[in-house]
Amino acid sequence: MWRLKVAEGGGPWMQSKNGFLGREEWVFDPNLGTPSEHAEVERLRQEFTKNRFHKKESQDLLLRMQYANLNKPGANVPVSRLEENAEVTEEIVLGSLRRAMSCFSILQAEDGHWPGDYSGLMYITPLWVFALYVTGTLNVILSTEHIYEICRYIYNHQNEDGGWGNQVLSPSTMFGSCMNYTTLRLLGQELHGKNNALAKGRAWILSHGTATAAPQWAKIFLSIIGAYDWSGNTPIIPELWMVPTFLPIYPGRFWCYTRIVYMAMAYICGKKFVGPITPTIFAIREELYDIPYNEIDWSKACDTCAKEDIIYPRSLMQNVARTCLNKFIEPLFTCWPFSKLRDRALNHLMERIHYEDETTQYVGLGSVTKALNMICCWIENADSDAFKKHLPRIFDYLWISEDGMKSKVVDGCQCWETSFIVQAFCSTNLVNEFSSTLQKAYLFIRNSQVVENPPGDQNYWHRHISRGSWTLSTTDSGWSVSDCTAEALKALLLLPKSYPNLVEELIGEERLLDAADCLLSFMNKDGSFSTYERKRTGSWVEILNPSESFRNIVADYPSVECTSSVIQALVLFRESYPNYRSNDICECVKKAARFIENSQQIDGSWYGTWGICFTYGTFFAVKGLLAAGRTYENSYSIKKACDFLLLKQLNSGGWGESYLSCVRQVYVQGDCAHAVNTAWAMLALLYAGQIDRDPAPLHHAAKELINIQMQTGEFPQQGHVGNFNSSMYFNYPNYRNLFPIWALGEYHRRFFHRREVK
């Protein structure tokens, strides 16, 4: 059986800044588990496979089995189901909260965070397989059990038409289909017959233009393994890193994720690296195309992309730039003396790649950046310590559920979700019943703070300060994030303020001041906040976006969510430290609130950059404006937001928004009420005072949440609610529980204990 290990690591090639706190790794133990447990795991797997076309999201049931066996069962509170005309009583709400919080506490890891399945992107796991294959470590790093579970995952998420999407939820694309088909072949799956899954996958690829119609990233990944020719790619020139740093097109000014991905891609493309050409690669070359591989017109393929993959269509300027790169610039840099500049640029890139690896303990910023950096290290020196340090950290990303083994988007969202969970529990009047849960969570957040800046000249390395910050996942990942820092600071301030005797080992004052300093350092000129650093280039540079599959990836765009989180954190901080940088904080809050107001849509909503989508953005925006001193009575923006949310409430009482809202950038109604969307909308209305104006919509919403709740006390895993750049949709594993708890907790306090709240 598989077992999740938390906060463990070791061996000569692994290092950690704080004892691997938050690290998650699934390991296989053939001697673990009873026959009945093995049978139950197999039942869960078969159940998922049986319903995979109708229910694509896994429920993370293997984790739940393990933690149910390790921890005591939750509170035995009767389940309540409310009929249409039934009254929502305090007893029923408290019963729902106790069941939810009790069950949720069982899922807390010993180190204080809540592990979970942070996945949903279908091209990441294949990239890991590609990286291990070309470096000759596939069967060294992955056991037979790993390979079996990865194949299971890919088969389980093949669409009915035979193809695969970029995400679990999306229709088939050439990107997803080529990557997953090729992965199955690399893992030893055989193509035979006309009706097996591989044959159907190949048929989809050939009927939609073959792999020559794959988008940019897929072409590059296939070129690395030798299944696509480098001459069919638009060059990513390493020399771009040698242009003056003040130019807007200098890559150091791009969004950090984009610049690090393309930094590694530029190195690999500059080297024209191709992995070993094995009989399997020869077979894949025959299978992905409808004419012989050596007869393909690669120059034509370079400009071809399947319509299913085009999210960001190429502009005229991009087409002109592609032509110049292919016909003039790239050939120039392969000839002496310009080839000397190519060598210098490649060495410069490797210097930066090593810095990124070392400052993230070889965890990396994300799965794609780590996999590509690992390939770069192997190309430079296959026997290097750098490459060897990469290998054990792969397991930080692999996650197993009943649908199989997949890769997380990054190595987790441990800090982010734990900070929210503390706030959710504090919204209830049941904190003292769950004191040990909150104590462990508090210590996890406290001990996960980044306490030093990145080494060296931060301007040269294009890194923002990080002392006093928090990351999305663990301290080892190294990359500070504005809203993760804000939410962690809020949790650390809120818990001891509301419950003074609950936590004994409080964080020191100096570290709280560091957090406030770090937050203020993130502010853009207009008062807004982006993610990992300040916005460094203009939005117009997006015209250089070379990827057809992703939009809004060049600049680190400001978001309403990040801006709101920082407002809330600084206002809460000011209550405890009114004299510390008070003028800076006041000016920041004023400008940030103005940015949120100016970002409101005509219909009264806000677009959520990192969640799905308008309910998410509107929840954050309202909360930020209220923290900044706006009220329903004096803010037209908040009134419009409440009107928008009330208009979108379903007859059932809940809210349900489709991930297609992100694609179309207008509100798209989902199939039914979603527990997380419902909680976001409820919270925005509760904080805006709807309970005093007309509580009926909130009674209706609370009833819907209580009725959605499962027998176990948890809320169901419904559609994914995470979003990157309006292009990628994935799962935040603990949103399903934390936000409904938060919403019902606030509802209970504000309706049944109004005087206490006021």
Side-chain angles (χ1 to χ4, degrees):
M1 280 183 67
W2 290 92
R3 175 174 64 90
L4 180 66
K5 295 196 306 182
V6 169
E8 293 185 32
W13 304 114
M14 290 189 70
Q15 54 199 29
S16 175
K17 292 184 177 179
N18 63 348
F20 301 100
L21 187 68
R23 182 173 186 260
E24 303 163 354
E25 178 186 358
W26 283 94
V27 295
F28 184 80
D29 183 348
N31 300 315
L32 187 68
T34 64
S36 62
E37 288 171 338
H38 291 183
E40 176 63 8
V41 169
E42 189 57 31
R43 185 189 70 79
L44 297 175
R45 288 170 167 165
Q46 292 179 6
E47 188 73 16
F48 182 89
T49 300
K50 177 183 176 182
N51 298 302
R52 66 190 183 279
F53 295 133
H54 310 291
K55 180 63 178 175
K56 296 186 176 184
E57 303 88 356
S58 59
Q59 311 292 306
D60 221 355
L61 296 177
L62 301 192
L63 171 76
R64 280 155 171 75
M65 271 190 65
Q66 176 176 326
Y67 276 69
N69 290 335
L70 290 175
N71 301 317
K72 295 179 181 179
N76 186 19
V77 181
V79 177
S80 299
R81 288 290 179 266
L82 298 172
E83 300 298 330
E84 183 176 350
N85 297 320
E87 180 183 359
V88 183
T89 66
E90 182 175 16
E91 181 183 7
I92 289 173
V93 176
L94 285 174
S96 176
L97 281 169
R98 282 194 173 94
R99 284 191 295 116
M101 295 168 72
S102 180
C103 183
F104 200 23
S105 295
I106 291 175
L107 299 176
Q108 186 182 30
E110 187 58 35
D111 68 354
H113 87 281
W114 277 259
D117 182 0
Y118 188 45
S119 70
L121 304 184
M122 288 298 297
Y123 56 86
I124 301 178
T125 308
L127 181 57
W128 285 120
V129 174
F130 283 25
L132 292 172
Y133 187 84
V134 299
T135 59
T137 55
L138 181 62
N139 293 310
V140 175
I141 297 301
L142 299 183
S143 65
T144 303
E145 290 78 19
H146 283 102
I147 292 172
Y148 172 80
E149 294 295 346
I150 290 172
C151 291
R152 173 189 286 274
Y153 175 72
I154 294 174
Y155 282 130
N156 270 330
H157 291 290
Q158 186 177 23
N159 291 329
E160 289 185 88
D161 62 8
W164 287 267
N166 291 4
Q167 292 89 214
V168 163
L169 300 180
S170 66
S172 299
T173 62
M174 192 61 71
F175 189 5
S177 298
C178 287
M179 293 293 290
N180 285 281
Y181 176 89
T182 304
T183 298
L184 289 173
R185 296 291 283 115
L186 294 177
L187 292 177
Q189 301 294 293
E190 295 293 336
L191 175 65
H192 54 78
K194 293 184 178 180
N195 297 316
N196 77 327
L198 272 172
K200 291 178 181 178
R202 184 186 181 217
W204 192 96
I205 293 168
L206 295 181
S207 65
H208 288 76
T210 79
T212 58
Q216 184 203 39
W217 281 29
K219 286 175 175 172
I220 291 171
F221 298 156
L222 290 172
S223 296
I224 291 170
I225 66 168
Y228 186 95
D229 196 273
W230 276 112
S231 63
N233 287 276
T234 299
I236 303 173
I237 58 170
E239 292 77 14
L240 189 59
W241 281 88
M242 309 302 287
V243 305
T245 59
F246 63 81
L247 292 178
I249 63 169
Y250 175 65
R253 295 182 174 276
F254 297 170
W255 180 42
C256 59
Y257 196 86
T258 297
R259 72 171 178 261
I260 293 175
V261 166
Y262 278 95
M263 184 166 67
M265 284 183 176
Y267 183 83
I268 297 168
C269 291
K271 288 280 190 178
K272 298 293 187 292
F273 168 76
V274 178
I277 305 301
T278 64
T280 300
I281 297 299
F282 279 120
I284 291 170
R285 285 180 173 183
E286 292 181 5
E287 295 161 13
L288 291 181
Y289 307 97
D290 56 4
I291 62 174
Y293 188 79
N294 60 2
E295 296 178 15
I296 295 172
D297 183 346
W298 295 109
S299 61
K300 182 179 178 182
C302 181
D303 295 320
T304 305
C305 184
K307 61 180 173 51
E308 291 83 2
D309 290 76
I310 299 176
I311 291 177
Y312 189 79
R314 300 170 191 160
S315 65
L316 176 62
M317 181 177 291
Q318 285 177 315
N319 288 331
V320 171
R322 280 170 176 261
T323 301
C324 291
L325 284 167
N326 280 312
K327 294 188 178 296
F328 305 110
I329 298 176
E330 179 63 16
L332 183 69
F333 284 120
T334 60
C335 299
W336 190 90
F338 298 100
S339 58
K340 295 293 184 182
L341 183 59
R342 168 63 53 95
D343 292 339
R344 183 182 168 196
L346 291 172
N347 290 335
H348 179 71
L349 288 178
M350 275 312 304
E351 178 189 29
R352 292 189 173 279
I353 288 167
H354 286 312
Y355 181 86
E356 160 67 7
D357 291 341
E358 290 162 8
T359 55
T360 63
Q361 315 304 310
Y362 292 83
V363 173
L365 177 57
S367 49
V368 175
T369 66
K370 174 175 169 55
L372 292 175
N373 281 11
M374 187 176 80
I375 294 172
C376 293
C377 291
W378 189 86
I379 295 170
E380 184 190 42
N381 181 356
D383 196 40
S384 65
D385 287 356
F387 176 69
K388 292 173 183 175
K389 288 178 180 178
H390 263 293
L391 293 173
R393 283 295 196 170
I394 290 172
F395 298 109
D396 293 45
Y397 284 88
L398 298 181
W399 189 268
I400 189 167
S401 300
E402 67 273 17
D403 58 340
M405 179 165 278
K406 74 294 291 271
S407 174
K408 292 183 280 186
V409 180
V410 299
D411 63 314
C413 47
Q414 295 90 319
C415 287
W416 174 247
E417 287 194 327
T418 304
S419 300
F420 275 138
I421 292 167
V422 168
Q423 295 175 68
F425 274 48
C426 285
S427 73
T428 73
N429 288 332
L430 303 175
V431 167
N432 290 327
E433 296 180 29
F434 299 92
S435 58
S436 63
T437 299
L438 284 165
Q439 287 165 0
K440 288 197 297 183
Y442 180 95
L443 292 177
F444 175 82
I445 299 170
R446 187 198 70 179
N447 295 335
S448 296
Q449 188 180 25
V450 179
V451 296
E452 58 187 16
N453 288 319
D457 182 348
Q458 289 161 231
N459 289 326
Y460 176 80
W461 296 111
H462 314 304
R463 287 294 296 269
H464 194 79
I465 69 168
S466 57
R467 178 176 173 175
S469 70
W470 279 265
T471 68
L472 175 68
S473 56
T474 64
T475 307
D476 283 346
S477 70
W479 280 89
S480 56
V481 191
S482 63
D483 56 349
C484 296
T485 300
E487 297 299 340
L489 179 59
K490 284 167 58 183
L492 293 180
L493 291 169
L494 181 64
L495 189 57
K497 178 181 178 181
S498 304
Y499 302 92
N501 300 319
L502 192 67
V503 180
E504 294 180 0
E505 302 175 51
L506 295 177
I507 191 170
E509 179 179 298
E510 182 181 356
R511 287 172 61 183
L512 294 174
L513 302 185
D514 286 343
D517 289 339
C518 189
L519 283 179
L520 290 168
S521 74
F522 277 110
M523 187 173 68
N524 294 314
K525 291 180 180 178
D526 62 355
S528 65
F529 288 80
S530 305
T531 52
Y532 293 91
E533 51 209 9
R534 289 193 293 265
K535 186 178 177 184
R536 296 175 173 178
T537 193
S539 302
W540 67 268
V541 180
E542 196 66 41
I543 63 175
L544 301 179
N545 178 355
S547 170
E548 308 92 339
S549 300
F550 312 115
R551 64 161 68 101
N552 302 334
I553 65 170
V554 178
D556 193 350
Y557 292 95
S559 75
V560 165
E561 306 99 285
C562 291
T563 306
S564 169
S565 289
V566 173
I567 289 175
Q568 297 170 55
L570 289 177
V571 169
L572 189 60
F573 172 83
R574 187 172 57 190
E575 292 177 6
S576 298
Y577 300 95
N579 298 320
Y580 188 77
R581 299 188 65 176
S582 58
N583 291 337
D584 293 336
I585 291 174
C586 286
E587 184 65 17
C588 174
V589 169
K590 183 171 69 174
K591 292 172 71 175
R594 191 180 306 127
F595 166 80
I596 293 176
E597 290 171 329
N598 292 338
S599 302
Q600 191 170 25
Q601 306 283 318
I602 294 175
D603 63 3
S605 67
W606 279 269
Y607 183 83
T609 306
W610 304 103
I612 298 175
C613 177
F614 292 95
T615 42
Y616 182 75
T618 303
F619 158 62
F620 272 97
V622 168
K623 205 160 186 291
L625 290 177
L626 290 166
R630 311 296 198 267
T631 65
Y632 181 89
E633 289 72 27
N634 69 18
S635 171
Y636 181 62
S637 290
I638 294 177
K639 288 180 181 177
K640 282 182 65 181
C642 292
D643 290 343
F644 166 80
L645 291 172
L646 292 171
L647 182 66
K648 300 301 180 183
Q649 189 172 22
L650 300 172
N651 291 334
S652 67
W655 282 260
E657 187 175 1
S658 168
Y659 76 94
L660 293 173
S661 289
C662 303
V663 181
R664 301 173 188 173
Q665 300 192 350
V666 294
Y667 188 91
V668 178
Q669 184 66 59
D671 295 334
C672 60
H674 193 298
V676 179
N677 291 138
T678 299
W680 287 335
M682 272 186 75
L683 284 165
L685 291 169
L686 283 161
Y687 287 125
Q690 182 68 33
I691 206 84
D692 295 317
R693 293 187 298 275
D694 177 13
L698 292 167
H699 295 328
H700 204 187
K703 186 184 297 185
E704 177 69 359
L705 276 185
I706 291 167
N707 286 339
I708 287 175
Q709 190 175 20
M710 300 189 299
Q711 294 285 331
T712 61
E714 285 198 271
F715 293 86
Q717 174 66 62
Q718 297 168 287
H720 291 169
V721 289
N723 169 42
F724 277 170
N725 310 99
S726 308
S727 310
M728 297 167 273
Y729 322 107
F730 53 90
N731 182 49
Y732 278 100
N734 293 299
Y735 278 20
R736 60 188 276 197
N737 288 314
L738 79 88
F739 281 110
I741 289 172
W742 197 339
L744 287 174
E746 285 293 345
Y747 170 77
H748 173 257
R749 289 174 62 246
R750 290 169 185 270
F751 182 71
F752 295 103
H753 296 268
R754 295 191 195 190
R755 292 180 182 175
E756 174 189 322
V757 173
K758 291 180 180 178

